[in-house]
Amino acid sequence: MKTSMDGWGSGLAGVIIFSGSLPATRVAVADFSPLFLTSARAVIAALLGAALLAVLRQNKPARDDLLSLAIVALGVVVGFPLLTALALQYITSAHSIVFVGLLPLATAIFAVLRGGERPKPLFWLFSVFGSAMVVGFALNSGAEVSLIGDLLMVAAIVACGLGYAEGAKLSRTLGGWQVISWALILALPLMAVIALLTLPESWAGIGGGAWAGLAYVSVFSMLVGFVFWYRGLAIGGIAAVGQLQLLQPFFGLLLAAALLHEQVSPLMLLTTLAIVACVAGARKFAR
């Protein structure tokens, strides 16, 4: 029981940290190109991760772990950040955040396919119902829809779900923060080249908000959040703890309203309470 609660507490901390990712990205892409933002955040986080690995004298991953680390890198270091940055050129952060409601379902599916987990049938009922409520909330929010932006967000969710499940599976043996650190290092050569090729023509016109957004997604979204998130998934169960992501859209919407002054539907509180019930139900029948 204590291990389970530790997993859920760690997972919730990760969700809260990740909730600021899309609003921060929305601010950053106002002055940075999506390619530069994606690569720069990965480079900064990789350097921080490498320093941690060196200072704490961590062992190198086994050769058999390299494929899993590559999948993590493609999913959460490259895929999700790039696809969301591209999507946020077409849609608001409030609209994009709603797609995160599909992430628990994607993570649970990959937990079965890659992690070997077998949740009970009622788990899927709560997971699908929770995701459906988030989608319904989106459809009733009155947000302006962009087909390109929405398709990019769907692709981002698939990539992220795979990266979460693969990283959580590997975290059981390698450690949570070690997994994201090694994945960042694996992607570093490519990300460094892209960052150099997409440097802004001028730094003079880049506002403080864009710099703050870059700092947040580099340190917190790309590294610190994963320390808590992968630990939570590894010890609490990928499919079960992954349901906490149903709450991420609403944390994110609060931030979008507070920081970006984006309009948020009054139905948020009611929907959030229903989502909490779905998370609790999914947790009960996850194993």
Side-chain angles (χ1 to χ4, degrees):
M1 179 63 72
K2 184 179 185 298
T3 300
S4 177
M5 292 306 297
D6 285 347
W8 281 78
S10 186
L12 181 60
V15 166
I16 293 172
I17 292 171
F18 289 150
S19 296
S21 298
L22 291 177
T25 300
R26 174 72 171 176
V27 173
V29 293
D31 293 332
F32 293 119
S33 72
L35 272 176
F36 176 76
L37 179 65
T38 300
S39 54
R41 67 187 278 181
V43 169
I44 294 169
L47 293 176
L48 293 173
L52 281 174
L53 290 168
V55 169
L56 298 177
R57 299 181 179 180
Q58 298 296 298
N59 294 327
K60 293 181 179 180
R63 182 171 296 181
D64 293 342
D65 294 334
L66 293 180
L67 177 59
S68 290
L69 285 172
I71 293 173
V72 173
L74 286 173
V76 302
V77 177
V78 181
F80 184 77
L82 178 58
L83 291 167
T84 53
L86 290 170
L88 287 166
Q89 294 185 312
Y90 301 94
I91 56 180
T92 67
S93 66
H95 184 62
S96 68
I97 286 167
V98 176
F99 282 86
V100 179
L102 298 174
L103 192 49
L105 190 57
T107 304
I109 291 172
F110 284 117
V112 172
L113 296 176
R114 299 293 302 173
E117 296 191 2
R118 294 294 183 269
K120 296 177 182 177
L122 282 176
F123 165 86
W124 295 107
L125 177 65
F126 281 108
S127 182
V128 170
F129 187 60
S131 297
M133 281 195 294
V134 174
V135 172
F137 178 84
L139 295 176
N140 286 287
S141 66
E144 187 175 339
V145 175
S146 165
L147 179 60
I148 295 176
D150 288 355
L151 289 175
L152 286 168
M153 282 304 304
V154 170
I157 294 308
V158 173
C160 195
L162 175 58
Y164 279 172
E166 195 70 26
K169 182 183 71 171
L170 191 55
S171 294
R172 294 167 182 165
T173 55
L174 194 60
W177 70 269
Q178 292 92 334
V179 166
I180 190 60
S181 295
W182 286 118
L184 285 163
I185 291 172
L186 191 63
L188 179 58
L190 175 62
M191 293 293 98
V193 170
I194 295 175
L196 290 173
L197 293 176
T198 57
L199 285 170
E201 295 181 2
S202 172
W203 302 97
I206 298 173
W211 285 113
L214 173 59
Y216 188 91
V217 297
S218 300
V219 178
F220 293 97
S221 305
M222 200 77 267
L223 185 60
V224 176
F226 281 101
V227 174
F228 294 98
W229 183 240
Y230 276 151
R231 179 179 182 273
L233 292 177
I235 67 177
I238 301 170
V241 175
Q243 297 307 299
L244 285 170
Q245 295 164 114
L246 287 171
L247 299 173
Q248 186 171 328
F250 302 98
F251 290 139
L253 286 170
L254 287 173
L255 288 172
L259 301 178
L260 306 180
H261 308 293
E262 294 183 0
Q263 186 175 0
V264 176
S265 169
L267 291 175
M268 184 196 303
L269 179 60
L270 181 61
T271 308
T272 302
L273 292 175
I275 290 296
V276 171
C278 286
V279 172
R283 178 181 182 272
K284 182 177 181 180
F285 296 104
R287 295 179 179 178

